[in-house]
Structure formats: structure tokens, C-alpha cells
Amino acid sequence: MTHEPRPAPCGGWPSPIDAALVAAHDGRADHLRAVGEELWWTAARPEEGGRRALMRLRGDGGPPAVVLPAPWDARNRVMEYGGMPWAGAARPAGGPLVVFTHCADQRLYLLEPDAPGGAEPRPLTPVSAVGGGLRFADPVVLPDRGEVWCVMEEFTGDGPTDLRRLLVAVPLSGTAAEDRAALRELTDGTHRFLTGPKPSPDGRRLAWITWDHPRMPWDGTELRVARLTDDGRPGDPVTVAGGPEESVAQVEWGARGEVLFSSDRTGWWNLYRCDLTDDGAGAGPPAPGPAEALHAAEEEFADALWKIGMRWFAPLADGLVAVVHGRGDKRLGLLDPDRGVLTDAAGPWTEWAPALAVQGSRVTGIAASPARGYEVVQLDTATGHCRVVAARHRDPVPPGHLPRPEPRTFTGPNGREVHAHVYPPTSPDHRPAPGELPPYVVWAHGGPTGRASMVLDLEIAYFTSRGIGVVDVNYGGSTGYGRAYRNRLRGRWGQVDVEDCAAVAAALAAEGTADPGRLAVRGGSAGGWTAAASLADPDRTADVYACGTIRYPVLDPAGWANGGTHDFESRYLDSLIGPFDEETYRARSPLHHAGRVTAPFLLLQGLEDAVCPPVQSERFLAALAGGTVPHRYLSFPGEGHGFRRAETIVRAVEAELALYRETFGLGADRSETLETETR
């Protein structure tokens, strides 16, 4: 039996989606890989302090199991955003051999889950007291060599950029647990950044990707390949692909020993293969042949390499390649490289994460859609059938309370395209009162070289189910739409992103979708910069926004460029704004334009944030001292860049709703009332 929704003021609709439900469903499965016939991955645990649990799905059809109890936390802080935290190898007897990084001390640990009595993990790497210590990521377990090969990040001083990164071999025996000298260095640290090692199946070659300041990995990288000696030492490497304006995002080995890689040399990340030959003596570096495009298309077969170990494609033994591809959202497909034929997998999933695992003819990934949260999904390439094998979606609330998003392309300044996802207010019980247009919040994603995916997100539904619309903007600079689209932000961060978000907001108001007097802007990290810059730039935004939510933001690029952030992004502003110039950086800074902010705002900050340190938020508030702008500042001890703990997520979401309710005239919880004085 159905009923007609009743008219009610937007923003005050009763909803079954509370902040606790949002927190409980925060995060998703990640870091998926195969270990023989088993699947392993990490899973977020907001209710356990935000740790990531290590999960195991045996090949016997049983349910997945948590391998290690709290407080074990399978994460690392390499490049601060972390990289692939574990690896495993199947053994003929005794069960799998697994290594993982533990976030609390950043050490690499050995785990034998089937050992008698359930053996405790034992450390393989030492702790360093220098700076940020020793960190490890993207490991490869090589039982025949008795080693784990991985990326090591080693701090050499107390500053955030006092470090080196290189590939190392870690003994499985544990002899390096207290001895840094026992870590065998495979590279010499010539390059500032590199991805994890990829030994060829025959053990004769090693591939990896490098880049250096001031480039970011989506600007330009180099694919290196070296010959391996019998004792596992790389020779002189040769550059197979890449350069200052060519981004190679991933490398793998094909079924015939060829190199497979993704490159954006045409303006789109497409897949290529390259055959290698050795010199007659077999002693020199391998010689690369010409690179062959496997499926030339104006769509992306990779994305921005924010974390080491992301995997957008995976070769199968029969020569096919599983690929995650698309324009904007990413689908799973099977590519026949010899014929150039690409066939997409069937099913309701519209967004696949860069985490593919291959077992024979089976491909497993992590996928979602606007109606389904992320699930572990397996494709049988022999039958074409997909099935959920773990983390199955369960509707947390009746589907009628969930928004049905619409992908839109808006017109920005100078006629440029701006991509966005519109999430209208949705409730089975209520609709806007007669003559009422709903309020809308413009979401600006982080990065800024990143992308908002159109998938089920209970944080969005928390607002839409109460009658507040959301529009998630993939402003110029976002990935998923080719290199030219993401290069729009070069030199214009704080301008193009601000203009594009404002253009989308204005378009929704002009077409009668949103109330022009009840628009807000919201973002975290780089999106926090966009939100703050929007509020501090009334000339560019023309008073579009009634209020804003600023989460762990960049606010002062000059401070960021002068040792105020971590190494990975310490030269990011060279491309986003330009080489350091005090006047230019101050002119672009929300901090130095804080006096122009007139709209109420909420500022949320983690106190352990090494990417966007709290000092920037504190300076922003100090610049407002004595003013009359209503605002609220909430800081969270123990939280870094992005919120992981359930109690933090609950507090942040509830405070954000309170901001909109008060600003939009919907009635306020007095405990959340905005202030005009910084405390």
C-alpha cells in the first residue's frame, strides 16, 4: 500500500538515517588481493577507533573472517595517504604467508594465520627514532628468496621533507627487526618517489614507476625496468615510457612476459604493451621495443595515483586483461589485447575501485552503484557471471529514503563544461511545501586532482532524506575526463574550482531546482580550500552561498609551500598556483582574505593532521577575531587527515546539519548555536 508524500518544510523532514548510521557505514573494503584460492582485503572499522581490519575469505565457500583483533591496524603512512599495506603468498603446506604494516608503529609484520595456536604477528622491520621513522608499503612476498620486496620511506631528519624513498628487500627471517643494516637496498634513492616493485614471473626483470619534485604522479612519471641478477640485484634501469608530460600510473607483466602499462600520452590514460629484449650476453639493461596501444579510446583506464598499489588493470593467464575504465564513473571490462576488443561485465555496479584480484579465470573487485554500497564482487570470465562474494550490500533503510542521483553537465565560465552529480531531496513520506524550493549544498571533492563518484553515500542521504539537496561537482581539474580537463586547474586553483562550483549552484537556482537564498558550499582537504576560497571571494561567487562547511582545509598556500605540509604534496602548488611567489600566494589565500568572509561557517579539523595541519585553521580563526561572522570550530584529538572514528563522524555530521538548519531558518538545536568569538 502506497501513500502520497505530505508537504513539509525542506530541511526538517524526519529521517531514519541518523549520524550513527552514517558513521557505521563509513569506509569500504579496500586493498583487495588474491592469495592462492583465498581473497584478502582490509575493511574500515569506525567503531574500533577507525582501524582497518585485515579480512580473509577462504576458498571453501565459508564467510569472511577478521584475521587480527583490535588494536591491529593494517595501514601505513607512506606519502601520508598510505599505500598497499599487505601481501601474501600461498604455500603447499602450513597455510598462507602474509605480511602487513601496522599503523601504530609503521613496522612490517609477518603473519602465519594457520600456524598451531594462531601465532602472533612478529616484526620484520625496525623502528627508527628519526623524524617520522621508517615506513613500508606495497610489499611483494618472495618465499623462494626468503624476502619481502617493498617501498621504504625513511626519514633522515625531523622536517616533513627530510626523507628518502627506495625499494628494499626485507628478510622473512626477522633478522632486520632490530637492525636497519639488514634491509637490502634495491635502488639508490635517486628518485624522490617510486611505486612498489613488480618482479617479472620468470624472476629475470624488475619494473617500477618513479617521479620527482615538483611533478605530481598525474603530471609525469617514468616507467623503469631493470634486469635482475641471480642473487636478486637490479642492474641499470632503462626508461620504457613516461616523461615530464606523460603520466604512467600502473605497470604489470603480461602473459608472454611483455610489459603492460597505462599512459596518458594521448590525453587519456589508455593501456599499452611493450616487448623487451636482452643484449646477446644477457648482462645489460633490457631494450624496449615500440609501445602498442591495446584499445585506443577517449576514456580513462587509470586515474590519479594518490596511493601506491592502486590497481586499475590486471592480466589473466589466458592473455585477457581485466580493466577498470570509463569517462567519469568506472566500469569493469575484459580486454582482448590481440584484437583490441573490450567487453564490459554485466550487473548493477557502475563504479569499480582500483583494486583487482585475479585467480585463474576469476576477477574480483570492489564495486558500487547509486543504489548499492561497495561490495566484493567476482566475475567468472568463462561464464560472464558476476556475484557478490563478501561485504554484501544490505539496505540500511527503506530505499525510498535514498536519493536517485542524476549526472549533469553544466555550462561554466567561457562556455566550458562542468560535470556534476545532482542528488535531489528524497523521502517517501514528505515533499516540499507548496511554492518552496529546497536548499542545496554544493560539495567540492578533495584532491583537487580527484573525482566524486556517483555511488550510494549515506552522508549524502543524511541530508537529502531531510529535504536538503546535494550537488557533487567534478570541477575543472578533476580526473575521469581526460588530461585537458584536469589541466584546467594548472595555475588557477582557487579560481577555476570556485567558479565551476558557483556556476553549478547558480544554474540549479536559475532552473528552479534549488532555492537561490539557501545555497551552501562544503568540502574537505582541497575541497575545504574551495569552500573557504568561495566564502572569501564574494567577487567571484557573487554572494551565491548563505553558509559553508570547511573540513580539514588548506587555507594558507604560502605556509604549505614553506614546510607546512608533508613531502608528497610539498611542491603540488607549483602546478596548482605556480612556482612560489609571496605576492601571488597571498593573493590566492583564503587566510589572507578572511576579512572578506561574511557568511556563517563551520570549521572541522583533526589535530593530528600532517597534510593540512591545524595551525592553518587556528590562524584563520585568529584572523576573524573581533569580527561578527557567525561560526563554529570543532577540533578532534587523534584524528588525522580525514575522519575515521565513529564518534568524530557523528559529531561532524550533526554539527553540519545544525549549521544549515540555523542558517536556512529551519530552527536550531541551541547546543549547536553558531558563535562570533573564537574560543
Side-chain angles (χ1 to χ4, degrees), residues 10-257:
C10 291
W13 301 348
S15 172
I17 304 173
D18 61 14
L21 187 64
V22 173
H25 287 259
D26 186 68
R28 66 177 193 233
D30 203 356
H31 304 120
L32 174 74
R33 291 288 189 271
V35 182
E37 289 301 304
E38 299 183 359
L39 292 169
W40 288 58
W41 65 93
T42 68
R45 290 290 184 267
E47 71 283 2
E48 297 177 8
R51 80 180 185 105
R52 292 204 71 90
L54 194 56
M55 306 296 294
R56 178 186 190 185
L57 181 65
R58 298 174 184 266
D60 56 10
V66 178
V67 179
L68 294 170
W72 290 106
D73 186 358
R75 287 190 292 135
N76 58 66
R77 291 179 56 192
V78 169
M79 300 194 326
E80 288 303 336
Y81 291 109
M84 183 70 186
W86 74 272
R91 297 185 292 183
L97 187 68
V98 174
V99 298
F100 70 96
T101 55
H102 178 44
C103 189
D105 58 16
Q106 294 296 300
R107 300 173 87 181
L108 192 66
Y109 284 80
L110 176 69
L111 173 66
E112 297 181 84
D114 296 339
E120 278 288 303
R122 56 184 177 89
L124 297 180
T125 57
V127 174
S128 171
V130 178
L134 287 171
R135 303 171 179 179
F136 303 86
D138 208 9
V140 178
V141 180
L142 301 172
D144 292 344
R145 292 190 181 275
E147 293 178 325
V148 181
W149 290 9
C150 59
V151 173
M152 181 181 73
E153 184 175 80
E154 181 176 29
F155 280 78
T156 56
D158 293 331
T161 61
D162 296 335
L163 51 75
R164 60 199 290 256
R165 297 180 186 88
L166 57 160
L167 302 181
V168 297
V170 179
L172 285 169
S173 63
T175 55
E178 305 296 337
D179 182 8
R180 163 65 180 86
L183 299 174
R184 185 165 65 89
E185 299 184 4
L186 301 173
T187 56
D188 58 9
T190 298
H191 297 286
R192 190 69 170 187
F193 303 96
L194 38 69
T195 63
K198 290 289 178 70
S200 61
D202 63 8
R204 296 173 54 213
R205 296 174 178 137
L206 186 68
W208 68 99
I209 297 168
T210 67
W211 69 98
D212 292 286
H213 284 318
R215 283 182 276 158
M216 299 300 286
W218 42 86
D219 295 326
T221 61
E222 286 85 33
L223 166 57
R224 311 278 185 182
V225 177
R227 181 178 174 272
L228 283 172
T229 62
D230 291 341
D231 60 353
R233 298 184 182 279
D236 293 333
V238 62
T239 300
V240 173
E245 292 292 328
E246 179 185 354
S247 169
V248 177
Q250 184 187 341
V251 59
E252 302 285 345
W253 294 97
R256 298 190 297 268

Side-chain angles (χ1 to χ4, degrees), residues 228-467:
L228 283 172
T229 62
D230 291 341
D231 60 353
R233 298 184 182 279
D236 293 333
V238 62
T239 300
V240 173
E245 292 292 328
E246 179 185 354
S247 169
V248 177
Q250 184 187 341
V251 59
E252 302 285 345
W253 294 97
R256 298 190 297 268
E258 72 275 27
V259 175
L260 303 178
F261 62 94
S262 58
S263 164
D264 72 346
R265 58 181 59 183
T266 65
W268 298 86
W269 273 303
N270 282 188
L271 294 189
Y272 298 83
R273 66 181 171 192
C274 177
D275 291 321
L276 302 171
T277 57
D278 286 322
D279 63 13
E292 175 191 1
L294 302 185
H295 183 82
E298 290 190 349
E299 58 176 304
E300 306 283 37
F301 288 74
D303 212 296
L305 186 64
W306 279 97
K307 298 181 180 182
I308 297 172
M310 301 171 84
R311 201 178 195 199
W312 293 275
F313 70 91
L316 282 73
D318 60 6
L320 297 178
V321 182
V323 296
V324 171
H325 72 105
R327 257 194 178 194
D329 293 345
K330 295 287 194 293
R331 307 178 300 279
L332 175 66
L334 282 177
L335 175 62
D336 183 333
D338 294 327
R339 297 189 299 143
V341 175
L342 177 61
T343 305
D344 283 340
W349 305 280
T350 57
E351 180 71 28
W352 289 73
L356 297 179
V358 170
Q359 297 163 300
S361 63
R362 292 164 292 160
V363 178
T364 309
I366 300 168
S369 77
R372 306 173 72 94
Y374 281 97
E375 306 171 286
V376 179
V377 182
Q378 188 170 89
L379 166 67
D380 186 333
T381 63
T383 65
H385 177 66
C386 281
R387 66 188 182 99
V388 178
V389 295
R392 180 179 297 275
H393 172 76
R394 300 277 192 272
D395 285 325
V397 296
H401 293 278
L402 302 176
R404 293 176 287 277
E406 178 187 359
R408 297 277 304 273
T409 302
F410 294 89
T411 300
N414 302 316
R416 64 181 182 243
E417 290 186 345
V418 182
H419 302 286
H421 306 140
V422 179
Y423 295 81
T426 305
S427 171
D429 304 316
H430 297 89
R431 58 182 171 85
E436 182 186 19
L437 292 176
Y440 261 79
V441 183
V442 176
W443 281 29
H445 64 71
T449 312
R451 176 174 61 93
S453 303
M454 197 167 63
V455 299
L456 177 61
D457 184 336
L458 288 188
E459 192 167 8
I460 290 177
Y462 178 83
F463 297 104
T464 59
S465 63
R466 287 170 167 77

